Amino acid sequence: QVQLVESGGGLVQAGGSLRLSCAASGSIFSINTMGWYRRSPGKQRELVAAITSGGITNYAGSVKGRFTISRDNAKNTVYLQMNSLKPEDTAVYYCNLRYRRYSLDYDYWGQGTQVTVSS
């Protein structure tokens, strides 16, 4: 069983920074993608950023240039450095781990961490 434990959310003023962390444990295939999604009230969950085990990154247009995703493969941990935060970044942020092995897709989610940006 795979578990994802997130940390680092909180309340910050607009223009401030936060760093989210997500540590994965359990039986994890080494070739995988880890990422962050978010859900704001009344909106669907959306991809924020993702990174493959090979280091290829993908960002939502709304966060490019402000957020940076990184990972430590040895620790199965992914980070999201969020700078120049805006009130519209307020959401619950979810960590995700996914991989495909033997033609089966595996998709795991964390419990979520609240990020609130005040104006």
Side-chain angles (χ1 to χ4, degrees), residues 8-107:
L11 173 64
V12 65
Q13 287 189 331
S17 299
L18 283 174
R19 188 191 194 211
L20 305 182
S21 300
C22 172
S25 61
S27 180
I28 302 167
F29 187 48
S30 60
I31 301 174
N32 59 64
T33 297
M34 296 187 77
W36 293 93
Y37 289 72
R38 67 187 181 188
R39 178 179 283 150
S40 305
K43 294 185 178 180
Q44 289 188 331
R45 185 168 57 191
E46 63 174 352
L47 172 70
V48 177
I51 183 169
T52 69
S53 47
I56 297 172
T57 58
N58 181 35
Y59 292 93
S62 60
V63 307
K64 275 185 181 177
R66 300 188 297 122
F67 292 10
T68 302
I69 191 169
S70 60
R71 64 185 289 167
D72 184 334
N73 289 336
K75 296 180 179 179
N76 287 320
T77 300
V78 64
Y79 307 95
L80 185 67
Q81 178 65 44
M82 305 185 292
N83 298 329
S84 302
L85 282 160
K86 303 175 181 180
E88 51 263 43
D89 294 317
T90 295
V92 178
Y93 285 69
Y94 297 91
C95 178
N96 174 258
L97 167 70
R98 60 184 55 180
Y99 58 87
R100 186 175 179 85
R101 193 174 189 192
Y102 303 129
S103 300
L104 294 177
D105 292 317
Y106 297 83
D107 198 14

Side-chain angles (χ1 to χ4, degrees), residues 103-116:
S103 300
L104 294 177
D105 292 317
Y106 297 83
D107 198 14
Y108 300 98
W109 293 91
Q111 296 283 3
T113 184
Q114 176 71 45
V115 171
T116 303

